[in-house]
Amino acid sequence: MPKRNLHAKRGQRAKSGYSTYQRGRTHGSNDMAQKTLLGKNAIFADVLNGFIFKGKQVIKAEMLQDTNTTSIYKADGKIHSQDRDVAKLLTIGSKKVVILLVGIENQTRPDKNMAARVMSYDAAAYRYQLTKSKELYPVLTVVVYYGKEAWNYSRSLRENINMQVLPKEMRPLISDYEIKAFFRISDLSKQEINNRFKSAFFYVAEYFVQTNAGEEYHPSAKDVTVEDLQLVLDMMNAMSGSQVFEEAANTLNERKEDEVTNMTKVLNPYTQVRVDRAIKETTERVTREVTKEVSKETTEKVTARLLAHSIKSASLTPDKAMDLLGIPEAERPLYRKLLQKNSH
């Protein structure tokens, strides 16, 4: 197979439909990266199998079909649209009989109104079915939460709306809607991730489990195709904001899309180059700045500033950056306080 430019391919894919998906609550690149990765049937099936069936291979890629993710509604005299992140029809048999519409919604931060949003997505899907047939198939929305902070909101609609002003007799009559398929990646252990996810989505889960625990990301060596790994790197770049993933993805541009590789081969060598470069740049800047200002107070400020630069530019933890800068253990509590102060 000839080499193909994977960035060009993604551009062509966007022109064929992905570019129409936008929503105000997230950045376009973030949204697009998630849709492109999870839009692949094999990845979509793996997410369902990993979360719902705990790794058992129940849903097959060939059982899934694309479906419309946009619904139209009228409010305040205007026409509006709402978009799911990704949605598929689950079918059975040679005749591809539809038995379920399932959508996946990705969340990076808690949302008090998530139950209402899920209800609106599901209601729109049922309303569309009513225009086509009197026989309805079920609709399921899976919410995948990637965030570090706890989801402190209820996943029940009733518990997130104010009913205190209603007469007590009316409160039990208010219908509820609950997000039942809610999965937080950080609730899984490293071993569970390894057992549950067989596709490139494994790397997304692995990254968030490690970094949400305050650890440096040390990728595993699970083999995937170059195409899938690049889609993962795009998604991790969009969700983490770290250029490490974008620049690492660029190194895959000229490789065959069906070539097998893994995150360790791609990310670790490139990360080490960034670390070495950051050390060199930081050392040179420390020397220049401290030579100009020799007071203890100024030295501490300069070192703290360069420490923050090292953490950001090389995606390092504070301890790792202090190791590279040679900051003595006795002085590290001071610099942790300075980093915390400067972050506010």
Side-chain angles (χ1 to χ4, degrees):
M1 177 180 287
K3 294 181 179 179
R4 299 174 64 183
N5 187 302
L6 295 181
H7 280 306
K9 181 181 177 183
R10 291 202 304 282
Q12 294 166 2
R13 181 182 288 123
K15 291 179 182 178
S16 67
Y18 280 97
S19 61
T20 62
Y21 298 115
Q22 293 183 352
R23 182 169 58 256
R25 69 183 176 88
T26 56
H27 295 294
S29 60
N30 186 339
D31 228 19
M32 186 72 65
Q34 297 174 41
K35 291 176 184 295
T36 306
L37 177 67
L38 297 180
K40 295 192 66 173
N41 286 353
I43 304 292
F44 194 98
D46 191 46
V47 171
L48 298 184
N49 288 329
F51 284 119
I52 297 175
F53 300 102
K54 299 182 179 181
K56 187 176 180 181
Q57 300 301 289
V58 175
I59 308 298
K60 309 295 184 183
E62 57 269 22
M63 298 168 65
L64 298 170
Q65 293 182 354
D66 290 337
T67 188
N68 184 35
T69 61
T70 303
S71 57
I72 307 297
Y73 65 97
K74 187 175 182 179
D76 300 324
K78 298 180 180 179
I79 301 298
H80 303 267
S81 66
Q82 62 178 9
D83 293 313
R84 286 181 176 273
D85 283 343
V86 192
K88 302 279 184 181
L89 296 174
L90 179 63
T91 69
I92 56 172
S94 58
K95 294 185 178 180
K96 300 292 183 180
V97 177
V98 177
I99 61 171
L100 175 71
L101 185 153
V102 56
I104 297 177
E105 294 297 314
N106 299 297
Q107 284 295 120
T108 56
R109 58 180 63 88
D111 184 352
K112 179 181 180 180
N113 297 316
M114 194 69 203
R117 283 178 40 215
V118 168
M119 180 180 69
S120 69
Y121 296 146
D122 293 353
Y126 284 120
R127 184 175 64 242
Y128 176 78
Q129 290 185 56
L130 287 172
T131 66
K132 301 296 181 181
S133 172
K134 293 182 180 180
E135 295 294 327
L136 301 180
Y137 49 79
V139 177
L140 172 65
T141 297
V142 176
V143 177
V144 180
Y145 177 48
Y146 300 87
K148 180 178 181 179
E149 61 183 303
W151 188 287
N152 290 323
Y153 299 121
S154 172
R155 299 195 290 274
S156 165
L157 175 66
R158 280 173 54 104
E159 294 183 22
N160 283 318
I161 58 179
N162 182 14
M163 296 197 296
Q164 298 305 311
V165 296
L166 288 178
K168 292 183 179 179
E169 293 81 1
M170 298 185 71
R171 296 175 192 174
L173 304 179
I174 303 300
S175 298
D176 199 4
Y177 205 85
E178 182 181 358
I179 305 172
K180 294 183 178 294
F182 179 92
F183 302 99
R184 182 173 182 241
I185 281 186
S186 292
D187 289 339
L188 300 177
S189 68
K190 295 178 183 179
Q191 187 60 48
E192 284 176 316
I193 289 172
N194 186 60
N195 292 338
R196 291 184 180 212
F197 300 108
K198 313 302 179 184
S199 73
F201 185 81
F202 162 83
Y203 285 122
V204 177
E206 179 184 61
Y207 171 78
F208 282 102
V209 164
Q210 292 185 23
T211 57
N212 285 351
E215 303 173 4
E216 287 185 61
Y217 177 45
H218 294 289
S220 299
K222 181 170 287 191
D223 285 342
V224 295
T225 65
V226 165
E227 179 186 21
D228 284 355
L229 184 57
Q230 185 145 27
L231 294 177
V232 167
L233 289 167
D234 285 346
M235 181 171 173
M236 291 166 70
N237 170 58
M239 297 181 74
S240 71
S242 173
Q243 290 185 336
V244 168
F245 300 114
E246 179 182 4
E247 296 182 28
N250 290 338
T251 67
L252 296 174
N253 273 355
E254 301 305 321
R255 296 172 67 171
K256 296 178 181 178
E257 62 182 10
D258 61 348
E259 180 182 340
V260 174
T261 187
N262 61 62
M263 188 72 81
T264 301
K265 291 178 181 177
V266 172
L267 194 60
N268 279 357
Y270 182 73
T271 301
Q272 187 58 51
V273 170
R274 288 183 63 88
V275 169
D276 291 342
R277 186 171 64 216
I279 294 172
K280 183 176 183 296
E281 292 176 353
T282 301
T283 302
E284 291 174 350
R285 290 181 61 180
V286 168
T287 301
R288 289 195 302 269
E289 297 283 350
V290 175
T291 299
K292 294 178 183 178
E293 302 287 347
V294 294
S295 71
K296 183 177 185 295
E297 181 181 2
T298 302
T299 301
E300 289 173 352
K301 289 182 179 179
V302 171
T303 304
R305 188 164 65 249
L306 294 174
L307 180 61
H309 171 75
S310 299
I311 292 170
K312 182 177 180 180
S313 65
S315 297
L316 302 173
T317 62
D319 284 335
K320 183 65 174 178
M322 285 189 274
D323 287 342
L324 297 172
L325 289 175
I327 296 176
E329 191 66 37
E331 298 179 13
R332 295 191 178 193
L334 168 65
Y335 287 107
R336 291 192 185 96
K337 288 182 179 179
L338 290 173
L339 285 172
Q340 186 176 13
K341 180 181 178 180
N342 292 334
S343 67
H344 295 306

